[in-house]
């Protein structure tokens, strides 16, 4: 699970600045929910696909989405401006922000 979390963090960083893979209707829906357009990030995560129905607001104007695999694994991505507060078991990824693993084995 740690390698998956590390991979997600790496892909999130490398995905910044790439063109969005969301449909216009999903972008419009997220914007109506209050998501700040500059916080919408979509990444390519090998073995996972974005579940477009999961896209939505997080906190005041943040963005969240879930990626799923064919074997039932899930990765949740959240981008928000508020300070991160760990609830439960968290791991720090290098010098980055704390990451809280979710799902089986997390």
């Amino acid at each position: 699970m740690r390698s998956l979390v590390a991979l997600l963090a790496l892909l999130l960083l490398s995905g910044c600045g790439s063109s969005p893979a969301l449909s216009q209707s999903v972008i419009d829906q997220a914007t109506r929910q209050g998501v700040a357009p500059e916080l919408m990030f979509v990444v390519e995560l090998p073995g996972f696909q974005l579940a477009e129905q999961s896209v939505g607001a997080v906190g005041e104007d943040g963005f969240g989405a879930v990626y799923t695999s064919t074997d039932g694994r899930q990765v949740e991505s959240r981008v928000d401006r508020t300070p991160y507060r760990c609830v439960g078991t968290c791991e720090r990824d290098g010098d980055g922000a704390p990451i809280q693993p979710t799902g089986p084995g997390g």
Side-chain angles (χ1 to χ4, degrees):
M1 183 64 179
R2 283 187 184 149
S3 61
L4 178 60
V5 171
L7 176 63
L8 176 60
L10 177 63
L11 290 172
L12 280 171
L13 292 175
S14 64
C16 294
S18 60
S19 60
L22 294 173
S23 67
Q24 188 61 50
S25 64
V26 171
I27 292 171
D28 293 343
Q29 173 186 324
T31 303
R32 281 192 304 274
Q33 292 177 1
V35 175
E38 67 271 17
L39 296 181
M40 290 186 195
F41 288 93
V42 176
V43 298
E44 288 188 32
L45 187 57
F48 290 82
Q49 285 193 292
L50 174 67
E52 280 202 348
Q53 71 274 16
S54 71
V55 170
V58 171
E60 292 290 319
D61 64 350
F63 175 76
V66 174
Y67 295 80
T68 60
S69 69
T70 56
D71 62 2
R73 294 179 297 154
Q74 294 183 346
V75 173
E76 183 176 0
S77 171
R78 291 178 172 221
V79 180
D80 196 1
R81 298 179 207 271
T82 58
Y84 181 82
R85 185 176 67 91
C86 176
V87 177
T89 304
C90 299
E91 296 180 26
R92 194 166 280 282
D93 180 25
D95 293 330
I99 295 175
Q100 182 171 346
T102 59

